[in-house]
Amino acid sequence: MKSIKRVSMHEMIATEIKRFINEHDLKRGDKLPSVAELTAILGVSRSSIREGLRYLEGFDIIEVQNGKGIFVKDGDALKIEAKIDVEQEKNYLLHISELRRALEGKAVELAAVRAADEEIQEMERLLAEVISLKDAGFDSSKEDWEFHKAIYKASHNPLLESVAESVSDTFNKLWSKPFGIEHIFQDTLPFHCTMLDGIRQHNPADALQEFNKIIDTVEHTVRKI
């Protein structure tokens, strides 16, 4: 069962305006109803209408021209949905990345101090499996997550490990072919190796530095989509 997504007022208004564009088959340059007319049609405040318009402007779907009115900038229904879907996916992945930076960054530091030899050996085994699968062109998302779970375990902080497990489904969205692109974060692999070097050498500063390079690369890749 999937969780129900909360939708903000400006998103609901944007959806209604998109529906109006589609139902009336409006094209680029066509004029939309005024703010006052939209307020009356949708039964919401002017400020809410303006928020919805700003939201659509951010996706280049409409253009508000002062003193002239509101005009369609891109009336293609499929393009509209694609733009918004991609942008929402990007924002969601960036939020996940921020959460990972906070949680896993601390786990990496602690693991570099506390990891036992056998725990480091397990990380090495899992990372070698990830590399082998990637080199062969196979999906390594499950093994990748197992590698990162091993870091949480090696932190020897059961609460940190428990929190990571509770959000594992969310984290796995970064491993499970986001945007439908295979091996989208391939560039992070060298930093996985150098991060593990830092853990192996019990150097928390180096390990954290290399982990942050992983997150920086992920965020850069997401923003480029």
Side-chain angles (χ1 to χ4, degrees):
M1 184 180 295
K2 292 184 178 179
S3 60
I4 298 172
K5 181 186 175 185
R6 292 183 179 180
V7 180
S8 62
M9 176 62 77
H10 70 265
E11 287 178 305
M12 288 191 287
I13 290 169
T15 296
E16 291 305 315
I17 294 173
K18 286 188 295 173
R19 184 176 291 118
F20 183 91
I21 292 171
N22 295 337
E23 288 177 352
H24 291 79
D25 196 25
L26 299 183
K27 305 299 182 186
R28 185 181 182 89
D30 288 343
K31 193 172 184 179
L32 285 163
S34 66
V35 171
E37 290 170 326
L38 289 171
T39 299
I41 293 169
L42 298 178
V44 295
S45 67
R46 283 175 176 258
S47 61
S48 294
I49 292 292
R50 290 193 180 97
E51 283 185 30
L53 292 173
R54 280 195 293 270
Y55 181 74
L56 291 174
E57 271 194 298
F59 293 107
D60 284 334
I61 292 165
I62 64 161
E63 181 179 13
V64 178
Q65 298 181 13
N66 291 333
K68 294 183 179 180
I70 308 161
F71 297 89
V72 176
K73 205 168 181 181
D74 188 344
D76 188 308
L78 292 176
K79 287 183 181 178
I80 288 173
E81 295 303 327
K83 282 181 182 179
I84 291 181
D85 287 347
V86 167
E87 197 64 27
Q88 288 177 339
E89 175 97 347
K90 285 169 66 173
N91 288 336
Y92 187 48
L93 292 177
L94 289 172
H95 289 154
I96 294 173
S97 184
E98 289 173 354
L99 179 60
R100 271 194 69 202
R101 193 188 291 271
L103 285 179
E104 197 169 330
K106 177 51 67 176
V108 166
E109 284 186 298
L110 293 175
V113 174
R114 300 173 177 173
D117 288 346
E118 59 270 22
E119 290 172 324
I120 293 173
Q121 289 168 9
E122 177 64 4
M123 290 180 218
E124 291 171 340
R125 183 189 70 79
L126 288 166
L127 186 55
E129 198 169 342
V130 170
I131 293 170
S132 176
L133 286 168
K134 284 184 182 293
D135 286 346
F138 295 123
D139 177 29
S140 62
S141 56
K142 181 177 178 293
E143 291 73 16
D144 202 347
W145 174 232
E146 290 300 321
F147 168 73
H148 289 279
K149 278 173 63 177
I151 293 173
Y152 283 102
K153 184 177 180 181
S155 74
H156 293 272
N157 183 320
L159 291 179
L160 190 57
E161 189 178 357
S162 176
V163 170
E165 189 62 42
S166 71
V167 294
S168 61
D169 286 347
T170 299
F171 279 174
N172 279 323
K173 292 186 182 297
L174 283 172
W175 281 278
S176 302
K177 206 166 67 172
F179 307 107
I181 303 173
E182 295 275 5
H183 311 304
I184 184 173
F185 301 127
Q186 186 84 17
D187 291 348
T188 67
L189 201 51
F191 302 126
H192 282 70
C193 297
T194 51
M195 175 185 67
L196 183 53
D197 284 341
I199 294 173
R200 187 186 295 112
Q201 294 163 14
H202 297 289
N203 188 325
D206 281 359
L208 180 60
Q209 176 178 283
E210 298 309 302
F211 169 74
N212 281 326
K213 289 178 184 178
I214 294 173
I215 301 299
D216 290 342
T217 304
V218 166
E219 292 178 353
H220 178 69
T221 301
V222 169
R223 289 191 178 101
K224 284 196 309 182
I225 299 296

